[in-house]
C-alpha cells in the first residue's frame, strides 16, 4: 500500500467541488490511500472507532479511514488502473484507489460515514451504495438523485450505516462502460455487538466478468453475454489466492455478483448454510444445508460452515465454462472424428496448429503458442499434476495446525496413507450395461410392435 500525501499537488491537481464539500471543509480531505499489488491483505484490528472483527478481502484490501468529530471518513478515488488477472496477464481497467475492485469499506452499525469521492476518470461518474438505507440524495443515481461527478471534481456522500450486513458499491453512471471496466467494491457493516454473528474467518470477494480479446489489454465494454474471463475480485485461477482456515473454524464467505449472469457457487467436502443476503441476515430457523448456492445478478450471499475435514477443497462456480480462461466460442467438437494425418498436413500450412477436442481430451496440457498478455484456458499445477482450471476457482485449505489469524498459504495437503484414490490392478468383473435406451420403462402391455405409416395431407381439405 502506498500513500498519496501529494495527491492534489502539481499541474494535474484535482479541483474540489466547493459546493459539495463546503460544510465539511475542502481543506480537511482525508488522505487517499492506494494499493499497488494484488495480494490478499489481512487488515489489522481497528485502532479508532467502534471495535469489529475485520473481513479478509480475497486478493484485495480494506480502505483505511480517519475519525473526524465522531464521523468515520473515507476517500475513494475513481481512476484508471492496471489489474493483474494472473501472472502473465495485466488489464487496463477503471477502479478505485489503484485497484479493481476497489478497496473494501468496513464500518459498524450506527456509524456516521462520510465518503469523499474524487473523479479522475475521463467522464462523469457517481457511486451507488448498493443495499444501504440512506437519504435519497445520497443514493448515487446520476440524473435522478444527484448530478454526475465531473472529471476532476470531488463529491461527498454522508449517511448513517443503519443495519449490519453485506453490501456493494458501484457507479450508476454510464454503467455499461464503467461496470464493464471493473468499477465496483465491497462494503461490510458490522453489528454493534462484536459477538453477534461472530465467526473465526470471514472472507469477501466480488464476481465480475470481462470480454478481453486474446492479446489485448482492455475489455470490450459493449459485450452483453459472451464474456471470456470470469473472475473472483478481478483475478482468475491460478492467480486467485487460497482461503486457508484452521480445522474447527467457523468460516463465513461473502460473495457479491456484479456480472450479467447467475453463478452457482459450490464448495467441496463441506455443507454450508446461507446465513445472509444483501437484504440482511437470514433467521436461523429458515436455513437449510447446501453445497451449492446460486448467486443471481446484483445479489450478495453469505455462507457459513464449520471446517470439519482437513484437505485442499475446491471452491468454484459450477458453470464449467466459468472455470476456464479466455477461449473461442466457435471451436468445433471433433470427438469421434478420424483425422489421422490431418494435423501434420495442416501444420505445413499453419505452423503450430493443434487438433482440439479429438478425444474429449485435456486442454490443460496443450502447450500451443498464445498471444502476448493472454492466459492458457486451463492451468495451475497441483501435487498430482495439472489442475486444469481457470476463472472462478480457488481452494479452501483446511489444516489442523493453521494458527488463529494466520492466512498464509500452508502448501499442499499431506494425505494420510490409504486416503488417496489409486489405480486398480486386480481382476475386474464384467460391467453390467443397459442397452434398451429406456424402452423397458414404458413397456407395451402384451402388444406386438406397431408399424406407423404417416401420410402427408394434400391440400387444405384434408387438414
Amino acid at each position: 500500500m502506498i500513500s498519496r500525501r501529494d495527491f492534489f499537488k502539481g499541474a494535474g491537481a484535482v479541483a474540489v467541488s466547493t459546493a459539495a464539500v463546503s460544510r465539511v471543509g475542502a481543506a480537511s480531505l482525508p488522505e487517499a490511500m492506494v494499493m499497488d499489488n494484488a495480494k490478499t491483505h489481512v487488515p489489522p484490528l481497528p485502532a479508532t472507532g467502534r471495535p469489529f472483527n475485520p473481513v479478509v478481502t480475497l486478493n484485495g484490501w480494506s480502505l483505511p479511514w480517519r475519525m473526524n468529530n465522531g464521523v468515520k471518513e473515507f476517500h475513494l478515488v475513481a481512476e484508471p488502473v492496471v489489474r493483474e488477472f494472473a501472472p502473465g496477464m495485466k488489464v487496463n481497467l477503471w477502479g478505485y484507489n489503484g485497484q479493481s475492485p476497489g478497496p473494501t469499506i468496513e464500518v459498524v452499525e450506527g456509524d456516521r460515514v462520510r465518503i469523499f469521492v474524487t473523479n479522475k476518470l475521463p467522464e462523469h461518474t457517481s457511486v451507488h451504495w448498493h443495499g444501504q438505507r440512506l437519504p435519497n440524495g445520497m443514493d448515487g443515481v446520476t440524473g435522478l438523485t444527484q448530478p454526475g461527478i465531473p472529471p476532476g471534481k470531488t463529491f461527498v456522500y454522508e449517511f448513517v450505516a443503519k443495519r449490519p450486513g453485506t453490501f456493494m458499491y458501484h457507479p450508476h453512471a454510464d454503467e455499461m462502460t464503467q461496470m464493464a471496466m471493473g468499477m465496483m467494491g465491497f462494503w461490510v457493516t458490522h453489528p454493534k455487538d462484536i459477538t453477534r454473528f461472530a465467526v473465526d474467518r470471514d472472507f469477501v470477494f466480488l464476481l465480475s466478468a470481462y470480454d478481453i480479446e486474446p492479446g489485448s489489454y482492455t475489455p470490450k465494454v459493449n459485450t452483453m453475454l459472451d464474456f471470456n474471463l470470469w473472475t473472483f475480485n478481478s483475478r482468475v485461477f491460478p492467480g486467485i489466492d487460497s482461503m486457508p482456515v484452521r480445522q474447527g473454524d467457523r468460516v463465513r464467505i461473502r460473495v457479491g455478483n456484479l456480472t450479467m449472469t447467475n453463478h452457482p457457487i459450490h464448495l467441496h467436502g463441506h455443507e454450508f448454510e446461507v446465513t445472509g443476503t444483501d437484504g440482511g441476515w437470514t433467521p436461523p430457523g429458515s436455513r437449510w444445508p447446501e453445497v451449492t448456492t446460486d448467486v443471481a445478478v446484483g445479489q450478495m450471499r453469505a455462507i457459513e460452515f464449520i471446517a470439519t475435514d482437513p484437505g485442499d477443497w475446491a471452491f468454484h462456480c459450477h458453470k464449467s465454462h466459468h472455470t476456464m480462461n479466455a477461449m473461442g466460442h466457435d471451436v468445433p467438437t471433433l470427438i469421434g472424428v478420424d483425422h489421422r494425418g490431418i494435423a501434420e498436413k495442416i501444420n505445413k500450412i499453419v505452423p503450430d496448429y493443434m487438433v482440439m477436442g479429438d478425444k474429449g481430451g485435456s486442454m490443460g496440457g496443450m502447450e500451443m503458442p498464445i498471444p502476448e498478455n493472454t492466459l492458457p484456458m486451463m492451468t495451475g499445477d497441483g501435487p498430482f499434476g495439472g489442475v486444469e482450471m481457470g476463472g472462478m476457482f480457488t481452494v479452501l485449505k483446511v489444516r489442523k495446525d493453521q494458527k488463529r489469524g494466520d492466512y498464509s498459504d500452508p502448501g499442499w495437503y499431506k494425505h494420510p496413507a490409504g486416503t488417496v484414490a489409486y489405480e486398480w490392478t486386480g481382476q475386474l468383473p464384467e460391467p453390467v450395461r443397459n442397452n434398451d435406451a429406456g424402452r423397458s420403462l414404458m413397456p407395451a402391455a402384451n402388444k406386438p410392435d406397431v408399424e406407423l405409416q404417416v401420410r402427408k395431407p394434400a391440400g387444405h381439405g384434408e387438414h
Side-chain angles (χ1 to χ4, degrees):
M1 186 184 302
I2 57 175
S3 166
R4 283 198 177 178
R5 296 187 183 277
D6 299 326
F7 187 76
F8 298 102
K9 297 179 181 178
V14 177
V16 177
S17 172
T18 305
V21 301
S22 59
R23 283 172 293 180
V24 295
S28 63
L29 277 169
E31 184 178 10
M33 304 297 290
V34 175
M35 180 57 64
D36 61 356
N37 64 75
K39 297 177 182 178
T40 298
H41 295 267
V42 181
L45 291 172
T48 60
R50 295 169 174 157
F52 63 83
N53 296 312
V55 300
V56 174
T57 305
L58 202 61
N59 291 102
W61 59 301
S62 289
L63 185 63
W65 69 87
R66 75 173 183 194
M67 297 301 299
N68 185 2
N69 294 322
V71 180
K72 189 171 283 187
E73 292 184 337
F74 298 87
H75 191 171
L76 281 177
V77 180
E79 61 184 348
V81 303
V82 176
R83 179 66 162 175
E84 185 185 59
F85 276 33
M89 184 178 186
K90 294 184 177 181
V91 181
N92 298 323
L93 297 179
W94 291 356
Y96 302 92
N97 299 61
Q99 270 199 359
S100 170
T104 298
I105 294 177
E106 298 190 71
V107 301
V108 178
E109 177 188 13
D111 278 353
R112 176 164 286 280
V113 182
R114 184 179 294 137
I115 308 107
F116 296 83
V117 178
T118 298
N119 183 11
K120 293 193 69 181
L121 299 174
E123 64 176 17
H124 73 266
T125 189
S126 73
V127 181
H128 167 59
W129 313 99
H130 184 111
Q132 301 278 5
R133 294 181 185 173
L134 36 61
N136 186 235
M138 297 290 173
D139 196 45
V141 182
T142 302
L144 178 66
T145 64
Q146 69 164 83
I149 307 172
K153 301 294 184 181
T154 296
F155 275 38
V156 173
Y157 297 88
E158 186 170 342
F159 54 91
V160 175
K162 292 184 176 179
R163 62 186 177 91
T166 305
F167 309 102
M168 299 181 277
Y169 62 89
H170 60 79
H172 255 298
D174 191 14
E175 287 183 54
M176 189 69 192
T177 297
Q178 295 187 14
M179 297 286 282
M181 288 293 289
M183 296 192 70
M184 58 193 72
F186 217 97
W187 177 299
V188 174
T189 300
H190 297 277
K192 282 182 183 178
D193 181 357
I194 197 171
T195 64
R196 191 179 180 212
F197 311 124
V199 293
D200 299 297
R201 311 259 172 164
D202 199 339
F203 297 95
V204 305
F205 58 89
L206 290 171
L207 309 177
S208 51
Y210 301 92
D211 183 11
I212 304 172
E213 289 283 355
S216 66
Y217 288 76
T218 304
K220 295 195 291 186
V221 299
N222 291 321
T223 297
M224 296 183 184
L225 295 175
D226 290 335
F227 299 93
N228 60 12
L229 285 162
W230 304 90
T231 72
F232 288 172
N233 265 9
S234 296
R235 294 280 286 187
V236 297
F237 185 80
I240 301 172
D241 285 347
S242 64
M243 293 186 287
V245 306
R246 186 174 63 165
Q247 186 179 13
D249 276 353
R250 183 168 188 84
V251 181
R252 179 185 295 133
I253 302 175
R254 312 188 200 212
V255 182
N257 180 8
L258 284 173
T259 74
M260 290 191 180
T261 187
N262 64 308
H263 296 277
I265 299 298
H266 175 57
L267 173 64
H268 291 209
H270 296 77
E271 63 276 1
F272 57 76
E273 293 179 337
V274 176
T275 58
T277 72
D278 33 356
W281 298 97
T282 55
S286 69
R287 302 171 186 173
W288 65 87
E290 286 279 11
V291 297
T292 304
T293 186
D294 198 44
V295 187
V297 179
Q299 284 187 336
M300 314 287 291
R301 290 289 181 267
I303 66 171
E304 293 181 26
F305 58 94
I306 304 297
T308 54
D309 290 53
D312 293 334
W313 302 107
F315 181 86
H316 60 96
C317 177
H318 216 289
K319 291 185 176 180
S320 57
H321 59 295
H322 293 184
T323 53
M324 297 177 67
N325 295 326
M327 69 172 295
H329 293 94
D330 299 320
V331 178
T333 299
L334 299 175
I335 296 174
V337 176
D338 184 0
H339 45 250
R340 285 172 290 186
I342 296 295
E344 290 81 0
K345 295 178 181 178
I346 296 178
N347 238 297
K348 295 177 182 177
I349 304 172
V350 183
D352 300 316
Y353 169 81
M354 184 178 294
V355 176
M356 297 177 64
D358 61 324
K359 302 177 182 62
S362 165
M363 289 184 283
M366 292 183 173
E367 296 183 359
M368 66 180 74
I370 59 176
E372 181 183 355
N373 200 53
T374 302
L375 298 171
M377 288 176 289
M378 296 182 287
T379 184
D381 291 324
F384 300 100
V387 179
E388 298 186 350
M389 288 289 178
M392 295 176 165
F393 181 95
T394 187
V395 180
L396 175 78
K397 296 193 172 185
V398 182
R399 300 291 189 272
K400 184 177 181 179
D401 54 356
Q402 191 83 5
K403 292 182 173 56
R404 186 182 298 276
D406 179 10
Y407 290 86
S408 61
D409 191 298
W412 298 115
Y413 181 60
K414 296 179 175 58
H415 300 266
T419 64
V420 177
Y422 59 95
E423 180 185 3
W424 176 256
T425 57
Q427 186 174 359
L428 291 174
E430 185 65 26
V432 178
R433 294 187 172 91
N434 189 337
N435 297 313
D436 70 356
R439 182 179 178 184
S440 60
L441 299 177
M442 298 181 67
N446 300 319
K447 294 182 180 179
D449 290 345
V450 178
E451 181 179 347
L452 297 179
Q453 294 184 349
V454 179
R455 181 169 60 89
K456 182 178 179 181
H460 294 283
E462 298 194 32
H463 278 185

